[in-house]
Amino acid sequence: MHKVLRLPAPAPTTGCCNCGGTAHNLTQYQQYYQMLYRPAPATTTTTNATTALRTQSTTPTQADALALAKKKRLRKPRYAKYVELLEVTELTASERKSRVKRLKSKKLAEFIQKTQMQILEKRAREERRFLKKGKASSGDVAQLLLAENWKKVKGSSEETAQRQPVEYQKIDLDAVDSSILEAGMYDDKPLIFFGKEMYTKQIIANPDEVLKILKSFHNYRDIIESMENERHDNIEADLSSYSLNAPKHTDEAAMLDPFESIEPYIDIQETQKAAVKIQPNINAATAKSKKRFKSKVHANEEQERLSKHRALSINLTTYLNVCVSANMLSRALSTIFAYRTRVKKNNTQQKQNIISIDLYNILLHGYAGKGSFDRCQELFKLIHEDGLQFSEQTYAAAFECLGRVESDAQNQQLIEQYITQAEQQGYSLNQIMDRSKFVSDQRDIALDAIRRVRPDFTPVYVAPQLGYDNQLLNDLNAYVIPVGEETNEIAEKNCNIMNSKRGYSKAQLEQLAREQLQVELNGSITIKSIEKSKEFANAEFCRTKLKELDQSWRKQIAAAIVRDLNTLRAQVRFKPHGYMNYYTYLKVLDSSHYTDILIKEIYKLAEGSETFSPTVGQLYKELGQKVQQCYQIELKKHNGTLEKIGEIYSSYCELWDSGKSQDNTRQMWQRLVHEQRHSGPSMDLPEVPWPANVLTGVGRFLYNILMRDIKIDSQIMRQKSKSKTATTTTPQNVLPAFYTLFRNQGRLVKEEVKPHPVLSRLLRASRQQTLTFDSNLVPMLCPPQPWSTPHNGGYLLNKSELIRLPQQAVQQWERIQASNPQHLYPALDSLNQLASVPWRVNTQLLDVIIEVFQNGGDAKLDVPQPPSSLPPLPTLPTAAEIESGEANPVSPAERAKQFREKLGHRRRQAEMYSLWCDALYRLSLAQHYRDKVFWLPHNMDFRGRVYPVPPHLNHLGSDLARSMLIFDQAQPLGVDGFSWLKLHCINLTGLKKRDSVRERLLYAEEIMPEILDSADNPLTGRMWWSKSDEPWQTLACCMEIANVQRSPDPAAYLSRFPIHQDGSCNGLQHYAALGRDAAGARSVNLAPSAIPQDVYSAVAALVERTRKTDAQNGLHVAAALEGFVRRKVIKQTVMTTVYGVTRYGARLQIARQLKDIDDFPKDWVWPASTYLTTKTFESLREMFTSTREIQDWFTECARLIAGVCSQNVEWITPLGLPVVQPYNRQEAKHAPRSGLRVSNTMSTDLYERPNILKQKNAFPPNFIHSLDSSHMMLTSLQCERQGLTFVSVHDCFWTHACTVPELNRACREQFVALHSEPILEKLSEFMLHTYSFRDTDFTNDGSVEDLSKRQLNRTLRQLPQKGDFDLRNVLDSVYFFS
């Protein structure tokens, strides 16, 4: 310190930096700041002033710029980031922090020094120009002025130093170690200098002096932080002094940086003299060429700009909604004002794209809720300034605001004024009330305001259109009664649609609805696990400890949330108001909600497997989604939606009870909503999902608490503690409960979150025997809310997505929003029909499956085995055994082989554990619902294929999953029902695929003893059922047949068992129908035949014929396959060929089947699978020529659309559903680990380049999938109208045994009707309209681009030729679906 400080004469010293007085704190720190970064004098050996200044110039030459750019390109920051992630020790972490702080400090110093020199040079130029006007000698004066100016700078610096406090003058900064100054300690801790030992003791002994020092330091640091993120000009004043009534004239001094404004060599008045802008002299040789646009994601700069605008618009909409919900209206207002001011610098079109009337409407409703009409009027002026037009929602907000203000003459005059203004704009009061969206009491308040001046006004709401607008379904419109024309007398035959919904009283349904609402409000459901495990000796002790930990964690989490939110608040406080931050999103919920979310996540992570853990990014997103889901439910509770749903659902239950309706569920719901539109919130409110970057930021906030504040004592499981530790109350070995590790995932290394081993052991030992599921992952206890709009349906409160799409895929949503609502009704009604079917668990079969599962599973029966059943790998001999001669030395090849086997063993363990957990969840849920009726809400993928929303317990999936569920509604078998039941049993075995129906029924009678034995002794008898292709479904059918066989009257037996009618290679059926291919149609049973045509057996026969020829010619792989070219081996490949399977995928499919054959030599699996893949593809091409032509046309169209037009392939299904393939090129962007600011960028498929390879390969299968989903939906709606119970698993249709004939008839009729439409012609017409180029788009220069455009137009018109197959033959084909 003696080297650093010049010690003063012995006199009493005062404060270290005279910072005790608060009035001079800011000035002193500003002066200190200037002193730290004062430009050092130039060191040069010459006396020329110009040369001296040249060394100080911060303007780089062109050579310097090129060298710097090259240096930047050579950087590889991702390696540095990876190294940083690996630095986990305390020492390396602090060193990294110090390095970062030094870097920030250096950058700031360089920036200030560069700015100072630029100002000096500008001054010199101005004075030179002034002297030129006075006809002075330019050369001499220039040198004179520069030298003089440099002296001024030095003098002013010395002057400033003299004005410093005495303590600062004592500091010789040249003697201070550079690392101390460069470390940027002012960012973290104050750097205090003391003169003498005695003074140090006096200061430390006086807390008030220390507090004054720290207070002045904090003031200085706050100013630095507020500058750090100020990337733009000061665009807003303080809201308290902000008024929208008059334009702002900002003082230039106020716009300057607070530190820049006190520099001694800057005079604001002198800068105002330079009124004329100086244009730089740009030489054509040295002029910078325009930067070439390069992007892997966007086609051009315009697309990139539109993408950014779209992302910003989405972020602003979400942020403003959250601000209004959190009652942070000032922040919402400043955000709008900030972006409004920012876009003024750009063109008007950009402003209109970003600041829309919808954003103003959000804020208007926020102020209207408080009755703040003055603020609303100021916003109205802004709207007019921006050139925006009022919408119906704007007037609704104005009326709401005026309705909350006390009625007087002025109030009524304003209401009348806005009514007149709306009418002049073309909006009637009825339109305003009908088209606006309301929450809580907004509708009632707005109506009350209107009635102050129009007392007799009663809004007339436009009735919804209930019917279809589709040629395939217009015949069903005959059953639709328009809204307002309902009568009490409805013909009984027209109420057949309610047959599949009968059997439940209103009281029963309302009770079920209350239970379902409670589950959704809780957010999760906890059930008992069926896992059979031994009780640990210390289980009770561990449960007690876990309970104590739970209580401790809750306290820690609550305190951490308050602490971190306060930190965020303090940081946000000193940032500009105009940017979006995560603090606002985190203020929408109480800390108790965050505590519950984190506690559930702790248990979920702690119970995870050893082989899989979520990555940090996945955990961010998952936690963010939990917060969003909780926020949406809380919002519905507070805005009146929950209460109104209860009222409408009660009326809906009454309709189910009475059965007197000829409407489907969507039409019933629409009528009920329309009846109650006179009051309360709107029921068609679209929920605004949070963008992915917001979910990540919110999740990161909770993740930091999870990793930093959740602790566990490493010795918590020790029951017998030593005497020393027993007396202490505080745990001595507290460690973080979670840590991260890096694991290879393919070509990437991902950071994963793992629980501490002690925590995992504690949970395992406590054996909670429970499983917890989110409420949107389990079946519903009451009928789901019907889909009436694309945004409302499924669960009562939880958000259900209509279409399963990645978050960046917004293009299809745009098409859906723009389409006619009636065009979506067929898809919505089909989802509602499938969701309205009540289910129950087949308890008789469930008990058998649980017994097998608890006894260790069975691979042959497809019941997963635990990973512990996998035999361990043989170990290599140790070095000691080799030295002693007990074992032979191990070669490198053997070690490499063991390493590969170990990797395979771990992979197999992971697969087994995954399958075992899936079965555990499914069986535990089935056990929980075994005595309950439940419903499965449905949604669809982007092609229109439907799926149940609950993933664990449903009728999709494996044989085991399908076997456990039966219909809740029982129906008598009737005359032919028993025959259909027996036929279904034989179909499931797969033994009589090539036999007629009559032969199958005869075979069923022959093996009736085996069927009955299987039903009576499923695990101890002859187990005939276990040899079936679908063993568990076969066993369930055997049990049902036994019950019917032993009943007194089989025709009157009430059966709940579903009978399946499966399509015969349904993808090829659609291809054959599209091309009218007679040969192909016969091979897939579109044409009538005495026995079923099995395309899989036909392809296998062709492959076998080729194999025999190759074997005779000496091909070894063909000889090895003798006797193994079976139907089952190539079935999956044939089935998926039409769905775009690649040769690689087909090879894996065939290899998997060959591995399952015990007799097949395992060494030949890969060569044989390659051989069979080639022969299978050749045989299919030989059999289905028309199919291949259509598939090639699809592929070529998609390739040209994606490659030439740079657009995603889209089409409209025959039922009117818009489809857009969501395959785009995206840059891999890592989520930021810190920061308050919400990023304005997000990826959307609207403006990104398409992935050409995926687009062209996926179009043929996706289009065929959209056709088979259309066929299923048509059949679904026809069956519902006839009162049949209908369920589908894609191309496999289920119904009661007594209604199979009606299902078969409807299925065939709808297939013929679908393919009677000009499907390919309409597709070609749509693509020509959407993608083709006009004559003016051609350059006629013979370029590749021009030729590609012409090829696109030509290809879209060249439809494949069709055959002469008559589709009406399908109506008489017995084996089309069987």
Side-chain angles (χ1 to χ4, degrees):
M1 291 299 291
H2 290 288
K3 186 178 179 182
V4 175
L5 302 178
R6 298 192 186 101
L7 299 179
T13 59
T14 57
C16 64
C17 57
N18 199 21
C19 53
T22 57
H24 302 290
N25 288 340
L26 178 58
T27 304
Q28 292 167 2
Y29 269 110
Q30 289 171 338
Q31 293 168 350
Y32 173 51
Y33 176 82
Q34 173 199 343
M35 180 183 63
L36 281 178
Y37 295 107
R38 184 187 307 130
T43 57
T44 178
T45 57
T46 66
T47 57
N48 191 321
T50 308
T51 309
L53 269 182
R54 182 72 189 92
T55 60
Q56 284 295 321
S57 174
T58 58
T59 305
T61 64
Q62 190 172 6
D64 294 338
L66 288 172
L68 185 61
K70 185 176 179 182
K71 185 177 180 182
K72 283 184 178 179
R73 282 199 299 270
L74 292 175
R75 281 186 181 175
K76 294 185 178 179
R78 61 175 178 270
Y79 295 138
K81 180 178 180 182
Y82 183 68
V83 171
E84 182 179 345
L85 290 173
L86 293 178
E87 292 179 340
V88 294
T89 65
E90 243 180 67
L91 182 61
T92 54
S94 66
E95 176 64 22
R96 170 67 57 180
K97 182 178 179 183
S98 175
R99 251 182 265 157
V100 171
K101 283 188 175 295
R102 285 203 298 273
L103 179 64
K104 288 170 62 178
S105 176
K106 284 182 180 179
K107 292 291 183 186
L108 189 58
E110 289 171 5
F111 172 76
I112 293 173
Q113 191 172 2
K114 179 179 177 181
T115 306
Q116 291 169 352
M117 295 311 303
Q118 286 175 346
I119 293 172
L120 284 177
E121 290 172 1
K122 183 178 178 182
R123 279 250 186 98
R125 287 196 302 269
E126 289 172 2
E127 297 199 14
R128 255 200 316 268
R129 192 166 54 253
F130 177 78
L131 289 178
K132 278 182 183 178
K133 290 180 180 179
K135 299 181 180 180
S137 174
S138 59
D140 297 337
V141 173
Q143 289 190 1
L144 206 61
L145 281 173
L146 288 173
E148 209 170 292
N149 208 13
W150 178 245
K151 289 178 182 178
K152 280 184 183 178
V153 174
K154 291 182 68 177
S156 64
S157 300
E158 292 173 1
E159 237 178 344
T160 306
Q162 292 298 325
R163 285 186 317 201
Q164 303 289 351
V166 179
E167 284 70 24
Y168 280 148
Q169 297 179 30
K170 302 172 189 174
I171 304 172
D172 182 6
L173 291 176
D174 295 331
V176 179
D177 184 7
S178 62
S179 64
I180 297 177
L181 295 178
E182 291 176 355
M185 301 304 287
Y186 55 84
D187 276 349
D188 194 8
K189 299 175 184 176
L191 187 64
I192 304 176
F193 297 88
F194 296 105
K196 287 185 176 181
E197 293 293 331
M198 183 59 67
Y199 178 71
T200 302
K201 293 178 182 179
Q202 292 175 0
I203 289 292
I204 295 175
N206 189 353
D208 292 336
E209 291 294 325
V210 177
L211 287 176
K212 288 178 182 178
I213 295 172
L214 293 177
K215 185 176 179 181
S216 65
F217 160 72
H218 287 306
N219 290 338
Y220 169 71
R221 185 182 62 178
D222 291 342
I223 295 172
I224 290 292
E225 287 181 355
S226 67
M227 291 170 54
E228 187 175 330
N229 286 300
E230 189 74 49
R231 298 183 180 178
H232 305 281
D233 297 335
N234 294 337
I235 54 177
E236 64 179 40
D238 193 281
L239 282 177
S240 59
S241 61
Y242 163 67
S243 173
L244 303 175
N245 295 326
K248 297 291 174 293
H249 301 284
T250 309
D251 185 9
E252 287 193 38
M255 300 293 287
L256 291 173
D257 188 287
F259 292 124
E260 187 178 334
S261 62
I262 65 158
E263 295 291 347
Y265 47 80
I266 295 177
D267 186 358
I268 297 170
Q269 293 180 354
E270 287 186 16
T271 59
Q272 291 175 349
K273 296 177 182 177
V276 182
K277 292 186 179 179
I278 308 211
Q279 298 293 336
N281 185 15
I282 300 176
N283 190 343
T286 59
K288 200 171 187 181
S289 61
K290 185 179 179 182
K291 188 177 180 183
R292 185 181 175 186
F293 179 76
K294 291 182 179 180
S295 174
K296 295 180 180 179
V297 178
H298 303 287
N300 50 51
E301 291 181 357
E302 178 66 14
Q303 295 290 307
E304 187 177 41
R305 185 182 67 81
L306 291 173
S307 176
K308 290 179 179 178
H309 289 178
R310 171 73 185 186
L312 181 57
S313 177
I314 293 174
N315 275 286
L316 277 173
T317 303
T318 310
Y319 187 74
L320 293 180
N321 274 295
V322 169
C323 284
V324 172
S325 300
N327 199 23
M328 302 173 76
L329 299 178
S330 296
R331 185 166 292 280
L333 176 61
S334 63
T335 302
I336 276 195
F337 186 65
Y339 282 96
R340 178 179 178 272
T341 309
R342 194 170 301 171
V343 298
K344 279 184 178 179
K345 301 175 184 177
N346 302 319
N347 54 50
T348 309
Q349 182 182 1
Q350 179 183 356
K351 180 166 71 174
Q352 290 177 349
N353 290 340
I354 296 177
I355 307 298
S356 65
I357 190 65
D358 294 331
L359 296 181
Y360 281 113
N361 289 340
I362 296 170
L363 194 53
L364 281 169
H365 274 295
Y367 282 116
K370 295 182 173 296
S372 179
F373 189 69
D374 291 339
R375 189 64 77 184
C376 288
Q377 281 186 309
E378 292 170 347
L379 287 173
F380 291 154
K381 291 179 181 178
L382 278 183
I383 292 172
H384 287 302
E385 288 177 16
D386 290 345
L388 299 173
Q389 293 291 324
F390 281 26
S391 66
E392 295 97 330
Q393 196 73 47
T394 313
Y395 288 111
F399 293 142
E400 180 204 348
C401 189
L402 291 168
R404 296 187 189 278
V405 178
E406 187 176 351
S407 177
D408 53 23
Q410 184 184 3
N411 176 262
Q412 294 176 11
Q413 183 181 354
L414 286 170
I415 295 171
E416 190 66 53
Q417 174 187 333
Y418 282 108
I419 291 176
T420 305
Q421 181 180 333
E423 290 173 346
Q424 289 174 352
Q425 198 174 333
Y427 297 140
S428 66
L429 290 178
N430 282 326
Q431 285 178 318
I432 292 172
M433 297 302 296
D434 179 64
R435 297 178 185 175
S436 301
K437 310 293 183 187
F438 298 99
V439 297
S440 302
D441 60 347
Q442 290 177 355
R443 186 195 306 269
D444 303 319
I445 298 296
L447 195 55
D448 177 65
I450 294 172
R451 284 175 175 164
R452 291 177 185 177
V453 296
R454 305 282 174 89
D456 299 329
F457 173 71
T458 301
V460 178
Y461 295 105
V462 177
Q465 291 291 330
L466 302 181
Y468 300 107
D469 183 16
N470 188 288
Q471 188 174 347
L472 293 168
L473 291 168
N474 284 340
D475 59 308
L476 297 182
N477 290 338
Y479 298 93
V480 179
I481 301 174
V483 176
E485 300 179 14
E486 298 90 346
T487 60
N488 294 328
E489 296 180 4
I490 301 176
E492 188 68 29
K493 64 177 182 178
N494 292 339
C495 296
N496 288 339
I497 195 171
M498 298 299 296
N499 288 347
S500 59
K501 306 172 184 63
R502 298 183 191 275
Y504 308 97
S505 66
K506 179 184 177 183
Q508 182 183 1
L509 289 172
E510 287 180 341
Q511 177 60 32
L512 292 174
R514 282 191 288 270
E515 294 176 12
Q516 176 63 29
L517 277 175
Q518 190 58 53
V519 170
E520 294 188 39
L521 288 172
N522 293 338
S524 63
I525 180 175
T526 301
I527 66 173
K528 187 177 180 181
S529 171
I530 63 152
E531 182 184 0
K532 187 178 180 181
S533 56
K534 297 179 180 178
E535 183 82 4
F536 285 80
N538 61 344
E540 195 59 39
F541 170 80
C542 290
R543 290 192 189 104
T544 304
K545 288 293 182 182
L546 192 61
K547 189 174 180 181
E548 293 174 1
L549 264 183
D550 186 284
Q551 296 172 354
S552 171
W553 284 338
R554 287 184 180 275
K555 294 178 182 177
Q556 291 170 1
I557 292 171
I561 287 170
V562 172
R563 177 200 67 209
D564 288 358
L565 278 178
N566 287 336
T567 303
L568 276 180
R569 182 185 177 189
Q571 292 173 336
V572 168
R573 181 181 175 188
F574 296 105
K575 301 292 187 285
H577 284 281
Y579 76 87
M580 297 175 282
N581 58 76
Y582 296 116
Y583 174 74
T584 308
Y585 285 95
L586 290 163
K587 283 297 290 180
V588 296
L589 293 177
D590 296 332
S591 61
S592 59
H593 292 108
Y594 296 122
T595 304
D596 292 338
I597 289 171
L598 278 176
I599 288 293
K600 290 176 183 176
E601 195 63 35
I602 288 171
Y603 286 112
K604 183 177 177 181
L605 289 172
E607 293 171 352
S609 71
E610 296 178 2
T611 55
F612 172 79
S613 299
T615 64
V616 172
Q618 289 172 343
L619 201 53
Y620 285 170
K621 187 176 179 181
E622 184 178 339
L623 288 170
Q625 287 172 337
K626 296 282 181 62
V627 174
Q628 181 189 12
Q629 181 183 347
C630 187
Y631 160 70
Q632 288 173 342
I633 290 180
E634 290 298 309
L635 200 60
K636 289 179 179 179
K637 287 165 64 176
H638 289 95
N639 66 14
T641 305
L642 173 59
E643 185 179 352
K644 192 161 185 178
I645 283 179
E647 295 173 1
I648 296 176
Y649 199 86
S650 179
S651 303
Y652 184 62
C653 295
E654 190 173 349
L655 286 174
W656 272 58
D657 182 18
S658 68
K660 293 181 180 180
S661 175
Q662 57 191 56
D663 292 334
N664 60 35
T665 53
R666 187 250 318 158
Q667 293 163 347
M668 285 191 283
W669 190 265
Q670 284 178 312
R671 286 187 198 274
L672 295 172
V673 169
H674 181 70
E675 288 173 3
Q676 300 198 26
R677 284 193 69 184
H678 61 275
S679 179
S682 303
M683 290 303 295
D684 56 349
L685 290 171
E687 293 184 3
V688 184
W690 291 356
N693 52 343
V694 172
L695 295 176
T696 300
V698 171
R700 183 174 61 242
F701 174 84
L702 297 180
Y703 168 84
N704 289 334
I705 294 175
L706 182 77
M707 300 299 292
R708 185 179 57 220
D709 295 286
I710 305 301
K711 309 286 186 182
I712 188 171
D713 185 2
S714 61
Q715 299 181 1
I716 193 171
M717 296 184 69
R718 295 188 180 182
Q719 296 188 47
K720 297 180 180 179
S721 303
K722 296 181 179 179
S723 57
K724 291 183 180 180
T725 59
T727 57
T728 61
T729 57
T730 306
Q732 299 296 311
N733 301 280
V734 175
L735 297 171
F738 297 94
Y739 63 96
T740 62
L741 54 80
F742 291 86
R743 178 176 286 168
N744 288 315
Q745 291 187 8
R747 295 176 298 143
L748 303 175
V749 177
K750 300 269 183 95
E751 187 179 11
E752 297 184 356
V753 179
K754 298 287 288 184
H756 194 284
V758 172
L759 178 58
S760 296
R761 286 201 302 270
L762 181 66
L763 257 75
R764 201 160 44 243
S766 64
R767 286 296 174 187
Q768 297 296 305
Q769 297 294 327
T770 58
L771 295 171
T772 301
F773 298 94
D774 292 339
S775 56
N776 59 347
L777 300 179
V778 295
M780 291 184 66
L781 298 172
C782 66
Q785 177 186 344
W787 289 101
S788 55
T789 71
H791 306 286
N792 302 93
Y795 291 95
L796 302 184
L797 288 181
N798 285 332
K799 171 64 176 173
S800 303
E801 294 293 343
L802 173 67
I803 301 178
R804 302 182 177 200
L805 278 172
Q807 195 147 16
Q808 73 273 7
V810 298
Q811 196 169 350
Q812 187 165 1
W813 283 114
E814 294 281 327
R815 302 293 183 269
I816 288 174
Q817 294 291 348
S819 64
N820 184 344
Q822 285 183 280
H823 294 168
L824 302 176
Y825 284 169
L828 299 183
D829 287 349
S830 180
L831 293 175
N832 294 334
Q833 184 276 319
L834 295 170
S836 67
V837 175
W839 295 89
R840 66 167 54 239
V841 174
N842 187 342
T843 55
Q844 189 179 1
L845 182 72
L846 177 65
D847 294 335
V848 179
I849 299 174
I850 290 178
E851 182 180 349
V852 175
F853 181 82
Q854 291 181 339
N855 290 333
D858 192 322
K860 296 291 184 183
L861 296 177
D862 202 22
V863 178
Q865 298 173 293
S868 57
S869 63
L870 197 64
L873 289 174
T875 58
L876 292 178
T878 62
E881 292 174 343
I882 294 173
E883 289 177 3
S884 63
E886 298 178 9
N888 296 324
V890 182
S891 66
E894 290 175 330
R895 292 191 182 277
K897 182 181 178 182
Q898 193 208 32
F899 179 74
R900 289 193 300 271
E901 289 176 349
K902 188 178 294 185
L903 288 179
H905 188 268
R906 287 182 181 174
R907 191 181 304 113
R908 179 63 183 150
Q909 271 188 322
E911 291 173 358
M912 290 179 69
Y913 186 75
S914 176
L915 293 171
W916 183 83
C917 286
D918 178 66
L920 175 68
Y921 297 161
R922 191 181 300 275
L923 295 174
S924 298
L925 279 169
Q927 182 74 1
H928 177 75
Y929 285 96
R930 66 178 295 144
D931 298 320
K932 300 177 181 179
V933 57
F934 56 88
W935 284 261
L936 300 173
H938 280 63
N939 62 4
M940 56 187 170
D941 63 17
F942 70 94
R943 306 162 299 186
R945 275 203 152 189
V946 303
Y947 303 86
V949 176
H952 301 299
L953 183 61
N954 59 48
H955 57 289
L956 260 70
S958 64
D959 165 54
L960 184 143
R962 298 187 186 193
S963 67
M964 289 194 301
L965 300 188
I966 55 176
F967 299 135
D968 180 64
Q969 190 183 55
Q971 292 192 11
L973 284 178
V975 178
D976 298 325
F978 195 18
S979 297
W980 282 113
L981 193 59
K982 289 185 281 189
L983 182 63
H984 175 56
C985 182
I986 303 306
N987 289 345
L988 289 169
T989 63
L991 300 174
K992 298 291 180 178
K993 288 285 185 181
R994 303 297 299 270
D995 294 337
S996 66
V997 171
R998 182 174 179 277
E999 290 171 341
R1000 295 181 197 182
L1001 288 174
L1002 291 175
Y1003 179 70
E1005 295 298 335
E1006 289 177 14
I1007 61 167
M1008 188 57 70
E1010 298 291 341
I1011 293 175
L1012 297 178
D1013 175 72
S1014 298
D1016 296 338
N1017 307 295
L1019 299 177
T1020 57
R1022 295 187 291 274
M1023 295 185 67
W1024 168 83
W1025 61 275
S1026 64
K1027 302 176 183 64
S1028 167
D1029 284 354
E1030 312 286 352
W1032 291 109
Q1033 291 180 80
T1034 304
L1035 177 58
C1037 196
C1038 290
M1039 292 176 173
E1040 186 73 2
I1041 290 173
N1043 293 336
V1044 177
Q1045 181 85 4
R1046 291 159 184 165
S1047 67
D1049 184 6
Y1053 178 82
L1054 294 176
S1055 174
R1056 293 187 168 94
F1057 198 81
I1059 304 298
H1060 306 176
Q1061 295 293 285
D1062 201 351
S1064 177
C1065 197
N1066 193 236
L1068 283 173
Q1069 286 180 332
H1070 283 285
Y1071 267 119
L1074 283 174
R1076 303 295 195 270
D1077 181 5
R1082 282 193 296 272
S1083 65
V1084 290
N1085 294 301
L1086 293 187
S1089 62
I1091 60 172
Q1093 301 298 311
D1094 186 18
V1095 65
Y1096 308 117
S1097 301
V1099 174
L1102 277 177
V1103 174
E1104 174 62 17
R1105 188 176 64 192
T1106 309
R1107 186 206 63 78
K1108 285 182 179 178
T1109 304
D1110 291 341
Q1112 291 171 0
N1113 294 335
L1115 190 63
H1116 295 299
V1117 68
L1121 279 165
E1122 184 176 358
F1124 296 105
V1125 182
R1126 302 172 185 173
R1127 177 184 184 274
K1128 189 174 182 180
V1129 172
I1130 55 96
K1131 177 182 176 181
Q1132 189 179 11
T1133 301
V1134 174
M1135 186 189 306
T1136 54
T1137 297
V1138 295
Y1139 296 133
V1141 69
T1142 61
R1143 288 184 179 270
Y1144 177 76
R1147 180 188 177 190
L1148 292 178
Q1149 293 171 349
I1150 292 175
R1152 194 180 304 116
Q1153 295 295 334
L1154 291 175
K1155 285 179 183 177
D1156 291 341
I1157 301 175
D1158 295 334
D1159 301 336
F1160 187 76
K1162 297 299 181 281
D1163 294 339
W1164 282 99
V1165 166
W1166 287 110
S1169 62
T1170 305
Y1171 174 81
L1172 283 182
T1173 300
T1174 304
K1175 298 304 176 185
T1176 302
F1177 275 60
E1178 290 175 357
S1179 301
L1180 280 168
R1181 185 176 288 274
E1182 180 183 339
M1183 287 181 65
F1184 297 94
T1185 54
S1186 177
T1187 297
R1188 181 56 60 184
E1189 289 176 5
I1190 297 173
Q1191 201 169 13
D1192 291 344
W1193 182 68
F1194 285 159
T1195 303
E1196 184 66 8
C1197 288
R1199 184 185 70 81
L1200 291 170
I1201 289 169
V1204 178
C1205 302
S1206 289
Q1207 295 186 43
N1208 291 5
V1209 180
E1210 60 179 281
W1211 68 95
I1212 297 177
T1213 70
L1215 291 187
L1217 178 69
V1219 178
V1220 183
Q1221 293 194 146
Y1223 311 122
N1224 292 80
R1225 302 179 67 173
Q1226 296 175 4
E1227 290 178 323
K1229 295 180 180 178
H1230 299 284
R1233 295 297 176 93
S1234 63
L1236 298 170
R1237 188 186 294 264
V1238 175
S1239 171
N1240 292 338
T1241 60
M1242 56 184 288
S1243 61
T1244 61
D1245 65 346
L1246 270 174
Y1247 306 107
E1248 293 177 347
R1249 291 176 184 265
N1251 187 319
I1252 300 175
L1253 184 64
K1254 284 187 177 181
Q1255 289 284 343
K1256 78 179 185 66
N1257 286 342
F1259 180 45
N1262 285 342
F1263 186 80
I1264 295 301
H1265 277 311
S1266 72
L1267 287 185
D1268 70 41
S1269 74
S1270 297
H1271 176 224
M1272 184 281 298
M1273 290 177 178
L1274 287 169
T1275 308
S1276 159
L1277 298 178
Q1278 293 293 338
C1279 288
E1280 182 186 34
R1281 178 53 62 186
Q1282 297 175 33
L1284 310 183
T1285 300
F1286 175 87
V1287 170
S1288 82
V1289 182
H1290 303 317
D1291 60 347
C1292 180
F1293 301 162
W1294 297 12
T1295 190
H1296 283 94
C1298 61
T1299 56
V1300 172
E1302 288 85 353
L1303 169 64
N1304 278 327
R1305 184 164 53 252
C1307 168
R1308 287 156 176 78
E1309 288 174 353
Q1310 297 311 310
F1311 185 87
V1312 172
L1314 174 66
H1315 283 283
S1316 296
E1317 294 288 305
I1319 295 175
L1320 293 181
E1321 290 78 5
K1322 286 186 176 180
L1323 175 64
S1324 173
E1325 181 183 345
F1326 175 82
M1327 291 194 296
L1328 280 169
H1329 178 266
T1330 308
Y1331 303 111
S1332 65
F1333 293 93
R1334 299 184 298 272
D1335 292 339
T1336 55
D1337 296 327
F1338 298 118
T1339 56
N1340 298 315
D1341 58 356
S1343 63
V1344 175
E1345 183 180 358
D1346 192 67
L1347 293 174
S1348 298
K1349 292 178 180 178
R1350 293 182 183 277
Q1351 184 185 1
L1352 171 68
N1353 284 7
R1354 189 169 56 251
T1355 303
L1356 295 183
R1357 289 189 177 92
Q1358 288 178 347
L1359 289 172
Q1361 293 185 351
K1362 293 186 178 182
D1364 56 359
F1365 177 71
D1366 187 358
L1367 278 176
R1368 289 174 296 179
N1369 289 326
V1370 175
L1371 298 174
D1372 302 320
S1373 175
V1374 175
Y1375 303 106
F1376 166 64
F1377 264 64
S1378 64

